[in-house]
């Protein structure tokens, strides 16, 4: 205890002095990463729980919002609590971060998880549908990796039960990273630093460099990719002033019209599957001939059904829908209201909902870009051909 | 002075306590980033100059090495001193970092500077020659961006005089990022956060969002991409034990055989142009029909001449030569000795030189992965087609 107290004192002292010198030596806080500075705090120490609590409030809108939504935890390691059969450790976290940014896991050695789930970019790629090996286009828009540990299933059709199961998909998909489990293991075993890092992350395993463990490590890293402390989360915690009047009006319309029937909870999604066109069939091209969950379940009701995606950070996750054909958030809201709710919103209502949705943009993960170990003469060489 | 002294004391104190707690709360220092922890220090405060100095020594090998080489500065901001017509500021640095990682500057919005000059990877891409827009292959192997501010000219043929001039090339090359200056400016002006960041980085300019300023900002960031404190640099500074016996033997052979005639100085390059095959014509396929500097100068002596590249961090910069056809550093050394020096090295000498060359691997830049501002409805959309 004494040590912690002393450390805290020294850190406060250092912070105060560093603060005095700000502008002289500290790197400039740019508009884009100003919020990031705040994000650094929660992960560092324990008192996050105090700030995390919902303050008592008489604000009716906050009270109603709390019946529908939940703020993300400020301490991103809280994401670990969602993991199953994968005990998080700092060794797995560090290894997982490296593997997430590791292009040598792909056949071309050019494409990493971060290519399509870019952490600079709200955890996806601003592409209609992702471009992968050989400049091939994938079939669906890349969902964001951010806060995805809260999804009860992964992919638009929910075919992966968790993130470690999900991670194995793009690694092997011929139009994405185009690798094989054997290739991935061969690459990693050719690099002694990786072998040591796997030993440290999976102690007690006789042969820790496995495809499963690649996925396990990546899952641990991804579990920390939360975007806490959005204006909306501040509002939920009890700060009435965190949203302006337009944003509050948007939140009201959102709940009154029933957007929250599919997009509520901690991640603004029910995690349910709904036919795109529940009430009115949308323009045919938006469906792109993709039957969604039906491809997995073969259940009649699942035709053209997709998992309701998170709406957090939605200003970053354009273009929208599984087909990625809509770039304008206003248009996406209008389409959803007609196709899923069977109603037509006024232009004002759409503007208000969009304003509200933009308040879900949180603090993006702070990630030190990893330095990856050098290849060796035994490392497989990149291949460009499409089989 | 008092403030600095106090800060230093507090930092030492905090470091000691943090050291005691290592393994409890601190993120695990992986084998790959262990050296990075050390790299954090120099940039933070002023006393770098003290550590930078060459200690007096009686070690003959160090003294001879000092006649040929110079260590990189420990404070990466020393790289700024190489800049011309581009005053470095923290605003330019932060903006330049964002632009370096910004895929939206490419036509597909998938390719950034970092795609081919990957900072996880020794500042290049482990590709024979780079893959760019439309999965097209570029004509030459990507040179490393690391320490490149010390090059007197850029590109294998030296056609760019500095990094800001260089940066404009790949942005526009049809097989690389395939953008145009007008497109780049249109993208950036469509994103209000960028407009503000350009105003802050280029104060007093009426219209700061220009293609030139994109290059200026990127150059400032790139000037900091140094890899200080390699074992070889520690040796040069006076630590006789920084190299082992094999590495010292390699350094001796390197200087005795004349490798230093083209690869010496701070960046292990003379920055001169030499025909590939100065003494003996190498295997024809290694030349790949590329006449090198001749394409720029049309001077007869420049046929098949290329700029001698830096050898720093060479274990990271495979494959080797402009044609990128040699993956094995041993083989590359053998080819250089016969083609450029007209000698044949023994296997032992090659092993020793390779061991020495690996001591040039320095501390890789510590970069916080930037969060880029969201696109807006006015931002141009990605395009995949090849014109």
């Amino acid at each position: 205890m004494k040590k912690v107290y002393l450390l805290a004192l020294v850190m406060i002292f250092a912070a105060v002095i560093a603060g005095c010198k700000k502008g002289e030596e500290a790197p400039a806080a740019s508009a884009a990463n100003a919020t990031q500075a705040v994000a650094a705090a929660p992960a560092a120490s324990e008192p996050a729980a105090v700030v995390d609590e919902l303050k008592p409030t008489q604000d009716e809108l906050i009270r109603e919002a709390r019946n529908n939504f939940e703020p993300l935890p400020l301490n991103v390691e809280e994401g670990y609590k969602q993991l199953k059969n994968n005990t998080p450790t700092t060794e797995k976290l560090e290894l997982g971060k490296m593997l997430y940014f590791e292009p040598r896991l792909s056949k071309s050695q050019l494409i990493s998880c971060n290519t399509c789930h870019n952490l600079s970019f709200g955890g996806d790629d601003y592409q209609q549908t992702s471009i992968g090996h050989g400049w091939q286009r994938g079939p669906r828009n890349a969902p964001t990796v951010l806060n995805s540990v809260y999804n009860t299933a992964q992919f638009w059709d929910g075919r992966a039960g968790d993130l470690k199961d999900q991670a194995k998909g793009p690694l092997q998909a011929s139009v994405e990273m185009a690798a094989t489990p054997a290739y991935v293991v061969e690459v990693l075993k050719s690099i002694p630093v990786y072998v040591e890092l796997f030993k440290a992350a999976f102690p007690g395993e006789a042969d820790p460099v496995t495809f499963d463990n690649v996925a396990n490590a990546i899952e641990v890293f991804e579990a920390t990719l939360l975007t806490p402390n959005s204006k909306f989360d501040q509002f939920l915690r009890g700060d009435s002033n965190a949203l302006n009047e337009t944003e509050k009006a948007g939140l009201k319309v959102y709940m009154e019209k029933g957007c929250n029937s599919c997009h509520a909870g901690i991640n603004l999604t029910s995690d349910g599957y709904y036919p795109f066109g529940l009430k009115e069939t949308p323009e045919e091209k938006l469906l792109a001939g993709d039957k969604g969950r039906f491809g997995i379940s073969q259940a009649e009701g699942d035709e053209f059904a997709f998992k309701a995606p998170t709406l957090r950070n939605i200003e970053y996750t354009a273009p929208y829908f599984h087909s990625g054909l809509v770039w304008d958030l206003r248009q996406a809201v209008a389409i959803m209201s007609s196709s899923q709710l069977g109603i037509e919103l006024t232009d004002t209502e759409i503007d208000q909902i969009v304003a509200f949705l933009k308040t879900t943009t949180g603090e993006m993960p702070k990630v030190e870009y990893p330095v990856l170990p050098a290849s060796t003469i035994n490392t497989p060489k990149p291949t460009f051909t499409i089989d």
Side-chain angles (χ1 to χ4, degrees), chain A:
Chain A
M1 263 319 281
K2 224 170 186 177
K3 215 191 296 180
V4 172
Y5 176 69
L6 210 65
L7 178 63
L9 250 181
V10 170
M11 285 175 72
I12 290 164
F13 194 25
V16 168
I17 292 176
C20 297
K21 295 184 71 66
K22 199 176 160 184
E24 285 171 53
E25 292 176 9
S30 71
N33 66 15
T35 53
Q36 296 304 304
V38 185
S45 55
E46 294 137 84
V50 180
V51 195
D52 258 358
E53 75 186 8
L54 303 183
K55 280 187 217 144
T57 180
Q58 295 307 312
D59 185 318
E60 278 308 316
L61 187 59
I62 294 181
R63 290 160 76 110
E64 191 176 343
R66 284 179 182 175
N67 291 333
N68 286 279
F69 308 100
E70 198 183 324
L72 286 170
L74 290 169
N75 180 348
V76 296
E77 293 196 0
E78 290 285 307
Y80 287 157
K81 292 184 180 161
Q82 307 303 313
L83 298 180
K84 284 172 196 148
N85 306 317
N86 192 7
T87 310
T89 62
T90 48
E91 289 80 5
K92 278 190 201 172
L93 174 66
E94 287 299 309
L95 174 59
K97 183 173 90 168
M98 293 167 76
L99 297 174
Y100 188 87
F101 283 97
E102 180 54 271
R104 287 170 296 187
L105 301 187
S106 68
K107 186 178 178 184
S108 67
Q109 303 198 0
L110 272 170
I111 300 172
S112 69
C113 303
N114 190 64
T115 303
C116 300
H117 301 285
N118 191 327
L119 299 182
S120 280
F121 255 14
D124 71 4
D125 57 4
Y126 276 128
Q127 302 289 331
Q128 179 187 320
T129 62
S130 295
I131 299 294
H133 188 78
W135 211 249
Q136 297 176 91
R137 227 186 227 288
R140 290 179 186 148
N141 180 263
T144 179
V145 68
L146 300 175
N147 311 307
S148 60
V149 74
Y150 286 103
N151 297 344
T152 54
Q154 307 294 339
F155 293 118
W156 280 99
D157 54 15
R159 68 184 182 278
D162 55 32
L163 289 170
K164 60 180 167 296
D165 192 16
Q166 189 280 335
K168 295 177 182 176
L171 276 161
Q172 298 177 82
S174 61
V175 299
E176 298 185 59
M177 295 170 76
T180 63
Y183 166 85
V184 166
V185 168
E186 189 187 351
V187 166
L188 295 168
K189 285 193 173 174
S190 75
I191 301 171
V193 172
Y194 268 128
V195 174
E196 290 309 309
L197 291 173
F198 273 85
K199 278 186 197 163
F202 301 96
E205 295 191 22
D207 184 21
V209 186
T210 64
F211 194 57
D212 278 347
N213 282 345
V214 168
N216 285 328
I218 289 173
E219 181 180 59
V220 167
F221 173 60
E222 290 181 339
T224 67
L225 300 177
L226 310 187
T227 62
N229 210 28
S230 67
K231 290 204 285 178
F232 182 48
D233 286 352
Q234 293 169 23
F235 183 76
L236 284 173
R237 288 206 172 83
D239 179 359
S240 298
N241 299 320
L243 301 195
N244 67 27
E245 290 312 310
T246 309
E247 293 158 354
K248 285 179 187 172
L251 171 57
K252 268 184 221 165
V253 178
Y254 184 98
M255 295 191 291
E256 280 164 17
K257 300 291 183 183
C259 305
N260 54 336
S261 47
C262 302
H263 296 285
I266 192 167
N267 217 3
L268 277 77
T269 171
S270 68
D271 272 326
Y273 301 90
Y274 308 94
F276 191 176
L278 190 64
K279 290 291 172 70
E280 285 173 26
T281 307
E283 247 190 296
E284 200 176 318
K285 73 164 187 179
L286 291 183
L287 295 171
D290 183 343
K291 292 199 172 179
R293 187 156 173 82
F294 179 81
I296 308 301
S297 68
Q298 309 295 323
E300 211 179 310
D302 282 345
E303 273 204 327
F304 300 106
F306 296 90
K307 200 162 68 69
T310 179
L311 302 188
R312 283 191 179 271
N313 309 298
I314 195 163
E315 66 177 320
Y316 267 104
T317 60
Y320 305 108
F321 308 132
H322 70 281
S323 51
L325 284 163
V326 175
W327 288 85
D328 182 355
L329 184 51
R330 294 187 81 265
Q331 196 188 342
V333 170
I335 290 167
M336 279 287 100
S337 61
S338 62
S339 69
Q340 306 309 99
L341 298 171
I343 58 173
E344 200 165 329
L345 297 170
T346 66
D347 279 357
T348 307
E349 288 169 334
I350 291 173
D351 285 340
Q352 290 167 337
I353 289 176
V354 166
F356 158 62
L357 288 175
K358 288 186 176 177
T359 70
T360 67
T361 299
E363 290 160 5
M364 296 292 150
K366 259 177 103 77
V367 174
E368 189 180 305
Y369 198 55
V371 175
L372 304 175
S375 289
T376 67
I377 197 66
N378 299 319
T379 307
K381 308 293 176 283
T383 312
F384 296 93
T385 48
I386 301 171
D387 290 333

